[in-house]
Amino acid sequence: MRELTLLETGYMASLLLASLVLPVLLSVLAPSGRARKISTRIVWAGQLVLSAAGATLLFSATYAIYAAIFGVVVVMMCASALLWLRDTPARNQA
């Protein structure tokens, strides 16, 4: 592990704040049925990508900015997927 600069510390702080967005969004939306299972998987996938971006930020000075940008973009994509699932009507059970 290496020492982080002030800018890289800011990147890490933004990734840590972004890691709170998906679970809070899931708890507020709280879909039911199969959408709940899919939503939980989306949150876990986003968290895994954020942890990989954080590890990249800690260990590589070359890819730090790219990892931070990629992590934030993935969180935005996961959040939009969660919002899309909330607006998708449930299919009728026969």
Coordinates of all heavy atoms in Angstrom, one line a residue:
M1 N 0.8 -1.2 0.0 CA 0.0 0.0 0.0 C 0.9 1.2 0.0 O 2.0 1.2 0.5 CB -0.9 0.0 1.2 CG -2.0 0.9 1.1 SD -3.5 0.6 2.1 CE -2.9 1.0 3.7
R2 N 0.4 2.3 -0.5 CA 1.2 3.5 -0.7 C 0.5 4.7 0.0 O -0.7 4.6 0.5 CB 1.4 3.8 -2.1 CG 0.1 4.1 -2.9 CD 0.3 4.3 -4.4 NE -1.0 4.6 -5.0 CZ -1.5 5.8 -5.0 NH1 -0.8 6.8 -4.5 NH2 -2.7 6.1 -5.6
E3 N 1.2 5.8 0.1 CA 0.6 7.0 0.8 C -0.2 7.7 -0.2 O 0.2 7.9 -1.4 CB 1.8 7.8 1.3 CG 1.5 8.7 2.4 CD 2.7 9.3 3.0 OE1 3.6 8.6 3.4 OE2 2.7 10.5 3.1
L4 N -1.4 8.2 0.2 CA -2.3 8.9 -0.7 C -2.0 10.4 -0.7 O -1.7 10.9 0.4 CB -3.7 8.6 -0.4 CG -4.2 7.2 -0.5 CD1 -5.7 7.1 0.0 CD2 -4.1 6.7 -1.9
T5 N -2.2 11.0 -1.8 CA -2.1 12.5 -1.9 C -3.5 13.0 -1.4 O -4.4 12.3 -1.2 CB -1.8 13.0 -3.3 OG1 -2.9 12.6 -4.1 CG2 -0.5 12.4 -3.8
L6 N -3.5 14.4 -1.2 CA -4.8 15.0 -0.8 C -5.9 14.7 -1.8 O -7.1 14.4 -1.5 CB -4.6 16.5 -0.6 CG -5.8 17.2 -0.1 CD1 -6.3 16.7 1.3 CD2 -5.5 18.7 0.0
L7 N -5.6 14.8 -3.1 CA -6.6 14.6 -4.2 C -7.1 13.1 -4.2 O -8.3 12.9 -4.3 CB -6.0 14.9 -5.5 CG -6.9 14.9 -6.7 CD1 -8.0 15.9 -6.5 CD2 -6.1 15.3 -8.0
E8 N -6.2 12.2 -4.0 CA -6.5 10.8 -4.0 C -7.3 10.5 -2.7 O -8.2 9.6 -2.7 CB -5.3 9.9 -4.0 CG -4.6 10.0 -5.4 CD -3.2 9.3 -5.4 OE1 -2.7 9.1 -4.3 OE2 -2.8 9.0 -6.5
T9 N -7.1 11.2 -1.6 CA -7.9 11.0 -0.4 C -9.3 11.5 -0.7 O -10.3 10.9 -0.2 CB -7.3 11.8 0.8 OG1 -5.9 11.4 0.9 CG2 -8.1 11.6 2.0
G10 N -9.4 12.6 -1.5 CA -10.8 13.0 -1.9 C -11.5 12.0 -2.7 O -12.7 11.8 -2.6
Y11 N -10.7 11.4 -3.6 CA -11.3 10.3 -4.5 C -11.9 9.2 -3.6 O -13.0 8.7 -3.8 CB -10.3 9.7 -5.4 CG -9.7 10.6 -6.4 CD1 -8.5 10.3 -7.0 CD2 -10.4 11.8 -6.9 CE1 -7.9 11.1 -8.0 CE2 -9.8 12.6 -7.8 CZ -8.6 12.3 -8.4 OH -8.1 13.1 -9.3
M12 N -11.1 8.8 -2.6 CA -11.5 7.7 -1.7 C -12.7 8.1 -0.9 O -13.6 7.3 -0.7 CB -10.3 7.4 -0.7 CG -10.6 6.2 0.2 SD -11.0 4.7 -0.7 CE -9.3 4.1 -1.1
A13 N -12.7 9.4 -0.4 CA -13.9 9.8 0.3 C -15.2 9.8 -0.6 O -16.3 9.5 -0.1 CB -13.7 11.2 0.8
S14 N -15.0 10.2 -1.9 CA -16.2 10.2 -2.8 C -16.6 8.7 -3.0 O -17.8 8.5 -3.1 CB -15.8 10.9 -4.1 OG -14.9 10.1 -4.8
L15 N -15.7 7.8 -3.1 CA -16.1 6.4 -3.3 C -16.8 5.9 -2.0 O -17.8 5.1 -2.1 CB -14.9 5.5 -3.6 CG -14.3 5.7 -4.9 CD1 -13.0 4.8 -5.1 CD2 -15.2 5.4 -6.0
L16 N -16.3 6.3 -0.8 CA -17.0 5.8 0.4 C -18.4 6.4 0.5 O -19.3 5.7 1.0 CB -16.1 6.2 1.6 CG -14.9 5.4 1.8 CD1 -14.0 6.0 2.9 CD2 -15.2 4.0 2.1
L17 N -18.6 7.7 0.1 CA -19.9 8.2 0.2 C -20.8 7.6 -0.9 O -22.0 7.4 -0.7 CB -19.8 9.7 -0.1 CG -19.3 10.6 1.1 CD1 -19.2 12.0 0.7 CD2 -20.3 10.4 2.3
A18 N -20.2 7.3 -2.0 CA -21.0 6.6 -3.1 C -21.4 5.2 -2.7 O -22.5 4.7 -3.1 CB -20.2 6.5 -4.4
S19 N -20.6 4.6 -1.8 CA -21.0 3.2 -1.4 C -22.2 3.3 -0.5 O -22.9 2.2 -0.2 CB -19.8 2.6 -0.7 OG -19.6 3.2 0.6
L20 N -22.6 4.4 0.1 CA -23.8 4.5 0.9 C -25.0 4.8 0.1 O -26.2 4.5 0.6 CB -23.6 5.7 1.9 CG -22.5 5.5 3.0 CD1 -22.4 6.7 3.8 CD2 -22.8 4.3 3.8
V21 N -24.9 5.2 -1.1 CA -26.0 5.6 -2.0 C -26.9 4.4 -2.3 O -28.1 4.4 -2.1 CB -25.6 6.3 -3.3 CG1 -26.7 6.4 -4.3 CG2 -24.9 7.6 -3.0
L22 N -26.3 3.3 -2.7 CA -27.1 2.2 -3.2 C -27.9 1.5 -2.1 O -29.1 1.2 -2.3 CB -26.2 1.2 -3.9 CG -25.6 1.7 -5.2 CD1 -24.7 0.6 -5.8 CD2 -26.6 2.1 -6.2
P23 N -27.3 1.2 -0.9 CA -28.2 0.6 0.1 C -29.3 1.5 0.6 O -30.4 1.0 0.9 CB -27.2 0.3 1.3 CG -25.8 0.2 0.6 CD -25.9 1.2 -0.5
V24 N -29.0 2.8 0.7 CA -30.0 3.7 1.2 C -31.1 3.8 0.1 O -32.3 3.8 0.5 CB -29.4 5.1 1.5 CG1 -30.5 6.2 1.7 CG2 -28.5 5.0 2.7
L25 N -30.8 3.8 -1.1 CA -31.8 3.9 -2.2 C -32.6 2.6 -2.2 O -33.8 2.7 -2.4 CB -31.1 4.1 -3.5 CG -31.9 4.4 -4.7 CD1 -32.6 5.7 -4.5 CD2 -31.1 4.5 -6.0
L26 N -32.0 1.5 -1.9 CA -32.8 0.2 -1.9 C -33.7 0.2 -0.7 O -34.8 -0.2 -0.8 CB -31.8 -1.0 -1.8 CG -32.5 -2.3 -1.7 CD1 -33.3 -2.6 -3.0 CD2 -31.5 -3.4 -1.5
S27 N -33.3 0.7 0.4 CA -34.1 0.7 1.6 C -35.3 1.7 1.5 O -36.4 1.5 2.0 CB -33.4 1.1 2.9 OG -32.9 2.4 2.8
V28 N -35.1 2.8 0.7 CA -36.2 3.8 0.5 C -37.2 3.2 -0.5 O -38.4 3.4 -0.3 CB -35.6 5.1 0.1 CG1 -36.7 6.0 -0.4 CG2 -34.8 5.8 1.2
L29 N -36.7 2.6 -1.6 CA -37.6 2.1 -2.6 C -38.3 0.9 -2.2 O -39.5 0.7 -2.5 CB -36.8 1.9 -3.9 CG -36.1 3.1 -4.5 CD1 -35.3 2.7 -5.8 CD2 -37.1 4.2 -4.9
A30 N -37.6 -0.1 -1.7 CA -38.2 -1.3 -1.1 C -39.2 -2.0 -2.1 O -40.4 -2.1 -1.8 CB -38.8 -1.1 0.2
P31 N -38.7 -2.5 -3.3 CA -39.7 -3.2 -4.1 C -40.0 -4.6 -3.5 O -39.4 -5.0 -2.5 CB -38.9 -3.4 -5.4 CG -37.5 -3.3 -5.0 CD -37.4 -2.4 -3.8
S32 N -41.0 -5.2 -4.1 CA -41.4 -6.5 -3.5 C -41.2 -7.6 -4.6 O -41.1 -7.4 -5.7 CB -42.8 -6.5 -3.0 OG -43.7 -6.1 -4.1
G33 N -41.2 -8.8 -4.1 CA -41.2 -10.0 -5.0 C -39.8 -10.2 -5.7 O -38.8 -10.0 -5.1
R34 N -39.9 -10.5 -6.9 CA -38.7 -10.8 -7.7 C -37.9 -9.5 -7.9 O -36.6 -9.6 -8.0 CB -39.1 -11.4 -9.1 CG -37.9 -11.8 -9.8 CD -38.3 -12.8 -11.0 NE -37.2 -13.5 -11.5 CZ -36.4 -13.0 -12.5 NH1 -36.6 -11.8 -12.9 NH2 -35.4 -13.8 -12.9
A35 N -38.5 -8.4 -8.0 CA -37.8 -7.1 -8.1 C -36.9 -6.8 -6.9 O -35.8 -6.2 -7.0 CB -38.8 -5.9 -8.3
R36 N -37.3 -7.3 -5.8 CA -36.5 -7.1 -4.5 C -35.2 -7.9 -4.7 O -34.1 -7.4 -4.3 CB -37.3 -7.6 -3.3 CG -36.5 -7.6 -2.0 CD -36.4 -6.2 -1.5 NE -35.9 -6.2 -0.1 CZ -35.7 -5.2 0.6 NH1 -36.2 -4.0 0.1 NH2 -35.2 -5.3 1.8
K37 N -35.3 -9.1 -5.2 CA -34.1 -10.0 -5.3 C -33.1 -9.4 -6.4 O -31.9 -9.3 -6.2 CB -34.5 -11.4 -5.8 CG -33.4 -12.4 -5.8 CD -34.0 -13.8 -6.1 CE -32.9 -14.8 -5.9 NZ -33.4 -16.1 -6.2
I38 N -33.7 -8.9 -7.5 CA -32.9 -8.3 -8.5 C -32.2 -7.0 -8.0 O -31.0 -6.7 -8.2 CB -33.7 -8.0 -9.8 CG1 -34.2 -9.3 -10.4 CG2 -32.9 -7.2 -10.8 CD1 -35.2 -9.2 -11.5
S39 N -33.0 -6.2 -7.3 CA -32.5 -5.0 -6.7 C -31.3 -5.2 -5.7 O -30.3 -4.5 -5.7 CB -33.6 -4.2 -6.0 OG -34.6 -3.8 -6.9
T40 N -31.5 -6.3 -4.9 CA -30.4 -6.6 -4.0 C -29.1 -7.0 -4.7 O -28.0 -6.6 -4.3 CB -30.9 -7.8 -3.1 OG1 -32.1 -7.3 -2.4 CG2 -29.8 -8.1 -2.0
R41 N -29.3 -7.8 -5.8 CA -28.1 -8.2 -6.6 C -27.5 -6.9 -7.3 O -26.2 -6.9 -7.4 CB -28.5 -9.2 -7.7 CG -28.8 -10.5 -7.1 CD -29.1 -11.5 -8.1 NE -29.4 -12.8 -7.5 CZ -29.8 -13.9 -8.1 NH1 -30.1 -13.8 -9.4 NH2 -30.0 -15.0 -7.4
I42 N -28.2 -6.0 -7.7 CA -27.7 -4.8 -8.3 C -26.9 -4.0 -7.2 O -25.8 -3.5 -7.5 CB -28.8 -3.9 -8.9 CG1 -29.4 -4.5 -10.1 CG2 -28.3 -2.5 -9.2 CD1 -30.6 -3.8 -10.7
V43 N -27.4 -3.9 -6.0 CA -26.7 -3.2 -4.9 C -25.4 -4.0 -4.6 O -24.3 -3.3 -4.5 CB -27.6 -3.1 -3.7 CG1 -26.8 -2.6 -2.5 CG2 -28.7 -2.2 -4.0
W44 N -25.4 -5.3 -4.5 CA -24.2 -6.0 -4.2 C -23.2 -5.9 -5.4 O -22.0 -5.8 -5.1 CB -24.5 -7.5 -4.0 CG -24.9 -7.7 -2.6 CD1 -26.2 -8.0 -2.1 CD2 -24.1 -7.7 -1.4 NE1 -26.1 -8.1 -0.8 CE2 -24.9 -8.0 -0.3 CE3 -22.7 -7.5 -1.2 CZ2 -24.4 -8.0 1.0 CZ3 -22.2 -7.5 0.1 CH2 -23.0 -7.8 1.1
A45 N -23.6 -5.9 -6.6 CA -22.7 -5.7 -7.7 C -22.0 -4.3 -7.7 O -20.8 -4.2 -7.9 CB -23.4 -5.9 -9.1
G46 N -22.8 -3.3 -7.4 CA -22.3 -2.0 -7.3 C -21.3 -1.9 -6.1 O -20.2 -1.2 -6.3
Q47 N -21.5 -2.5 -5.0 CA -20.6 -2.5 -3.9 C -19.3 -3.2 -4.2 O -18.2 -2.8 -3.8 CB -21.3 -3.2 -2.6 CG -22.4 -2.4 -2.1 CD -22.1 -1.1 -1.5 OE1 -20.9 -0.7 -1.3 NE2 -23.1 -0.3 -1.1
L48 N -19.4 -4.3 -4.9 CA -18.2 -5.0 -5.3 C -17.3 -4.2 -6.3 O -16.1 -4.2 -6.1 CB -18.5 -6.4 -6.0 CG -19.1 -7.5 -5.0 CD1 -19.5 -8.7 -5.8 CD2 -18.0 -7.8 -4.0
V49 N -18.0 -3.5 -7.2 CA -17.2 -2.7 -8.1 C -16.6 -1.5 -7.4 O -15.4 -1.2 -7.6 CB -18.1 -2.2 -9.3 CG1 -17.4 -1.1 -10.1 CG2 -18.5 -3.3 -10.2
L50 N -17.3 -1.0 -6.4 CA -16.7 0.1 -5.6 C -15.5 -0.3 -4.8 O -14.6 0.4 -4.6 CB -17.8 0.8 -4.7 CG -18.7 1.7 -5.4 CD1 -19.8 2.2 -4.4 CD2 -17.9 2.9 -5.9
S51 N -15.6 -1.5 -4.2 CA -14.5 -2.1 -3.4 C -13.3 -2.3 -4.3 O -12.1 -2.1 -3.9 CB -14.9 -3.3 -2.7 OG -15.2 -4.4 -3.6
A52 N -13.5 -2.8 -5.5 CA -12.4 -3.0 -6.5 C -11.8 -1.6 -6.9 O -10.6 -1.5 -7.0 CB -12.9 -3.7 -7.7
A53 N -12.6 -0.6 -7.1 CA -12.1 0.7 -7.4 C -11.3 1.3 -6.2 O -10.3 1.9 -6.4 CB -13.3 1.6 -7.8
G54 N -11.8 1.1 -5.0 CA -11.1 1.5 -3.8 C -9.7 0.8 -3.7 O -8.7 1.5 -3.4
A55 N -9.7 -0.5 -3.9 CA -8.4 -1.2 -3.9 C -7.5 -0.7 -4.9 O -6.3 -0.6 -4.7 CB -8.7 -2.7 -4.0
T56 N -8.0 -0.5 -6.1 CA -7.1 0.1 -7.2 C -6.6 1.4 -6.8 O -5.4 1.7 -7.1 CB -7.9 0.1 -8.5 OG1 -8.4 -1.1 -8.8 CG2 -7.1 0.6 -9.6
L57 N -7.4 2.2 -6.2 CA -7.0 3.6 -5.8 C -5.9 3.5 -4.7 O -4.9 4.3 -4.7 CB -8.2 4.3 -5.2 CG -8.0 5.8 -5.1 CD1 -9.0 6.6 -5.8 CD2 -8.0 6.2 -3.6
L58 N -6.0 2.5 -3.8 CA -5.0 2.4 -2.8 C -3.6 1.8 -3.3 O -2.6 2.2 -2.8 CB -5.5 1.4 -1.7 CG -6.5 2.0 -0.8 CD1 -7.0 0.9 0.2 CD2 -6.0 3.1 0.0
F59 N -3.7 1.0 -4.3 CA -2.5 0.3 -4.7 C -1.8 0.8 -6.0 O -0.6 0.5 -6.2 CB -2.7 -1.2 -4.9 CG -3.0 -1.9 -3.6 CD1 -4.3 -2.4 -3.3 CD2 -2.1 -2.0 -2.6 CE1 -4.6 -3.0 -2.1 CE2 -2.3 -2.6 -1.4 CZ -3.6 -3.1 -1.2
S60 N -2.5 1.6 -6.8 CA -1.9 2.1 -8.0 C -2.1 3.6 -8.2 O -3.2 4.1 -8.3 CB -2.6 1.4 -9.2 OG -2.2 1.9 -10.4
A61 N -1.0 4.3 -8.3 CA -1.1 5.8 -8.5 C -1.4 6.1 -10.0 O -2.1 7.1 -10.3 CB 0.3 6.4 -8.2
T62 N -1.1 5.2 -10.9 CA -1.3 5.4 -12.3 C -2.8 5.3 -12.6 O -3.3 6.2 -13.4 CB -0.6 4.3 -13.1 OG1 0.7 4.3 -12.8 CG2 -0.8 4.6 -14.6
Y63 N -3.5 4.4 -12.0 CA -5.0 4.2 -12.4 C -5.9 4.8 -11.3 O -7.1 4.5 -11.4 CB -5.2 2.7 -12.5 CG -4.4 2.1 -13.6 CD1 -3.5 1.1 -13.3 CD2 -4.6 2.4 -14.9 CE1 -2.7 0.5 -14.3 CE2 -3.9 1.9 -15.9 CZ -3.0 0.9 -15.6 OH -2.2 0.3 -16.6
A64 N -5.4 5.6 -10.4 CA -6.3 6.1 -9.3 C -7.4 6.9 -9.9 O -8.6 6.7 -9.5 CB -5.5 6.9 -8.4
I65 N -7.2 7.9 -10.7 CA -8.3 8.7 -11.2 C -9.3 7.9 -12.1 O -10.5 8.2 -12.0 CB -7.7 9.9 -12.1 CG1 -8.8 10.8 -12.6 CG2 -6.9 9.5 -13.2 CD1 -9.5 11.6 -11.5
Y66 N -8.8 7.0 -12.8 CA -9.7 6.2 -13.7 C -10.5 5.3 -12.8 O -11.7 5.1 -13.1 CB -8.9 5.3 -14.7 CG -8.0 6.2 -15.5 CD1 -6.6 6.1 -15.5 CD2 -8.5 7.1 -16.4 CE1 -5.8 6.8 -16.3 CE2 -7.7 7.8 -17.3 CZ -6.4 7.7 -17.2 OH -5.6 8.5 -17.9
A67 N -10.0 4.7 -11.7 CA -10.8 3.9 -10.8 C -11.8 4.7 -10.1 O -13.0 4.2 -10.0 CB -9.8 3.2 -9.8
A68 N -11.5 5.9 -9.7 CA -12.5 6.8 -9.0 C -13.6 7.1 -10.0 O -14.8 7.1 -9.6 CB -11.8 8.0 -8.5
I69 N -13.3 7.5 -11.2 CA -14.3 7.9 -12.2 C -15.2 6.7 -12.5 O -16.4 6.8 -12.6 CB -13.7 8.5 -13.4 CG1 -13.1 9.9 -13.1 CG2 -14.7 8.6 -14.6 CD1 -12.3 10.5 -14.2
F70 N -14.6 5.5 -12.7 CA -15.3 4.3 -13.1 C -16.2 3.9 -11.9 O -17.4 3.5 -12.2 CB -14.3 3.2 -13.4 CG -15.0 1.9 -13.7 CD1 -15.6 1.7 -14.9 CD2 -14.9 0.8 -12.8 CE1 -16.2 0.5 -15.2 CE2 -15.5 -0.4 -13.1 CZ -16.2 -0.5 -14.4
G71 N -15.8 4.0 -10.7 CA -16.6 3.7 -9.5 C -17.8 4.6 -9.4 O -18.9 4.1 -9.2
V72 N -17.7 5.9 -9.6 CA -18.8 6.8 -9.5 C -19.8 6.5 -10.7 O -21.0 6.6 -10.5 CB -18.3 8.2 -9.5 CG1 -19.5 9.2 -9.6 CG2 -17.6 8.5 -8.2
V73 N -19.3 6.3 -11.9 CA -20.1 6.0 -13.0 C -20.9 4.7 -12.8 O -22.1 4.7 -13.1 CB -19.3 5.9 -14.3 CG1 -20.1 5.3 -15.5 CG2 -18.8 7.3 -14.7
V74 N -20.3 3.7 -12.2 CA -21.0 2.4 -12.0 C -22.1 2.7 -10.9 O -23.2 2.1 -11.1 CB -20.0 1.3 -11.5 CG1 -20.7 0.2 -10.9 CG2 -19.2 0.9 -12.7
V75 N -21.8 3.5 -9.9 CA -22.9 3.8 -8.9 C -24.1 4.5 -9.6 O -25.2 4.2 -9.3 CB -22.3 4.6 -7.8 CG1 -23.4 5.2 -6.9 CG2 -21.4 3.7 -6.9
M76 N -23.8 5.4 -10.5 CA -24.9 6.1 -11.1 C -25.7 5.1 -12.0 O -26.9 5.2 -12.1 CB -24.3 7.3 -12.0 CG -23.8 8.4 -11.1 SD -23.4 9.9 -12.0 CE -22.3 9.3 -13.3
M77 N -25.0 4.2 -12.7 CA -25.7 3.2 -13.5 C -26.6 2.3 -12.6 O -27.7 2.0 -13.0 CB -24.7 2.4 -14.3 CG -24.1 3.2 -15.5 SD -22.8 2.4 -16.4 CE -23.0 0.7 -16.2
C78 N -26.0 1.8 -11.5 CA -26.8 1.0 -10.6 C -28.0 1.7 -10.0 O -29.1 1.2 -9.9 CB -25.9 0.4 -9.5 SG -24.7 -0.8 -10.0
A79 N -27.8 3.0 -9.6 CA -28.9 3.8 -9.1 C -30.0 4.0 -10.1 O -31.2 3.9 -9.8 CB -28.4 5.1 -8.6
S80 N -29.6 4.2 -11.4 CA -30.6 4.4 -12.4 C -31.3 3.0 -12.7 O -32.5 3.0 -12.9 CB -30.0 4.9 -13.7 OG -29.1 4.0 -14.2
A81 N -30.6 1.9 -12.6 CA -31.3 0.6 -12.7 C -32.3 0.4 -11.6 O -33.4 -0.1 -11.8 CB -30.3 -0.5 -12.7
L82 N -31.9 0.8 -10.3 CA -32.8 0.6 -9.2 C -34.1 1.5 -9.4 O -35.2 1.1 -9.1 CB -32.1 1.0 -7.9 CG -31.1 0.0 -7.4 CD1 -30.4 0.6 -6.2 CD2 -31.7 -1.3 -7.1
L83 N -33.9 2.7 -9.9 CA -35.0 3.6 -10.1 C -35.9 3.1 -11.3 O -37.1 3.2 -11.2 CB -34.5 5.0 -10.5 CG -33.9 5.8 -9.3 CD1 -33.3 7.1 -9.8 CD2 -35.0 6.0 -8.2
W84 N -35.3 2.4 -12.3 CA -36.0 1.9 -13.4 C -36.9 0.7 -12.9 O -38.0 0.5 -13.3 CB -35.1 1.4 -14.5 CG -35.8 0.8 -15.6 CD1 -36.5 1.5 -16.6 CD2 -35.9 -0.6 -15.9 NE1 -37.0 0.6 -17.5 CE2 -36.7 -0.7 -17.1 CE3 -35.5 -1.7 -15.3 CZ2 -37.0 -1.9 -17.6 CZ3 -35.8 -3.0 -15.8 CH2 -36.5 -3.0 -17.0
L85 N -36.3 -0.1 -12.0 CA -37.0 -1.3 -11.4 C -38.2 -0.8 -10.6 O -39.2 -1.5 -10.6 CB -36.1 -2.2 -10.6 CG -35.3 -3.2 -11.3 CD1 -34.3 -3.9 -10.4 CD2 -36.2 -4.2 -12.0
R86 N -38.1 0.3 -9.9 CA -39.2 0.8 -9.1 C -40.3 1.2 -10.0 O -41.5 1.0 -9.6 CB -38.7 2.0 -8.3 CG -39.8 2.6 -7.4 CD -39.4 3.9 -6.8 NE -39.3 4.8 -7.9 CZ -39.3 6.1 -7.7 NH1 -39.2 6.6 -6.5 NH2 -39.2 7.0 -8.7
D87 N -40.0 1.8 -11.2 CA -41.1 2.3 -12.0 C -41.7 1.2 -12.9 O -42.7 1.4 -13.6 CB -40.5 3.4 -12.9 CG -40.2 4.6 -12.1 OD1 -40.8 4.8 -11.0 OD2 -39.4 5.4 -12.5
T88 N -41.0 0.0 -13.0 CA -41.5 -1.1 -13.8 C -42.7 -1.7 -13.1 O -42.6 -2.2 -12.0 CB -40.4 -2.1 -14.0 OG1 -39.3 -1.5 -14.6 CG2 -40.9 -3.2 -14.9
P89 N -43.9 -1.8 -13.8 CA -45.0 -2.4 -13.1 C -44.8 -3.9 -13.0 O -44.2 -4.6 -13.8 CB -46.2 -2.1 -14.1 CG -45.5 -1.8 -15.4 CD -44.2 -1.3 -15.1
A90 N -45.4 -4.5 -11.9 CA -45.3 -5.9 -11.7 C -46.2 -6.7 -12.7 O -47.3 -6.2 -13.0 CB -45.6 -6.3 -10.3
R91 N -45.8 -7.9 -13.1 CA -46.6 -8.7 -14.0 C -47.7 -9.3 -13.2 O -47.5 -9.7 -12.0 CB -45.8 -9.7 -14.7 CG -44.8 -9.1 -15.7 CD -44.2 -10.2 -16.5 NE -43.5 -11.2 -15.7 CZ -42.7 -12.1 -16.1 NH1 -42.4 -12.2 -17.4 NH2 -42.1 -12.9 -15.3
N92 N -48.9 -9.5 -13.8 CA -50.0 -10.2 -13.1 C -49.7 -11.7 -13.0 O -49.2 -12.3 -13.9 CB -51.3 -10.0 -13.9 CG -51.7 -8.5 -13.8 OD1 -51.4 -7.8 -12.9 ND2 -52.5 -8.1 -14.8
Q93 N -49.9 -12.2 -11.8 CA -49.8 -13.6 -11.5 C -51.1 -14.3 -11.9 O -52.1 -14.0 -11.4 CB -49.4 -13.9 -10.1 CG -48.1 -13.2 -9.6 CD -46.9 -13.8 -10.3 OE1 -46.9 -15.0 -10.6 NE2 -45.9 -13.0 -10.5
A94 N -51.0 -15.4 -12.7 CA -52.2 -16.1 -13.1 C -52.4 -17.3 -12.3 O -51.5 -17.9 -11.7 CB -52.1 -16.5 -14.6

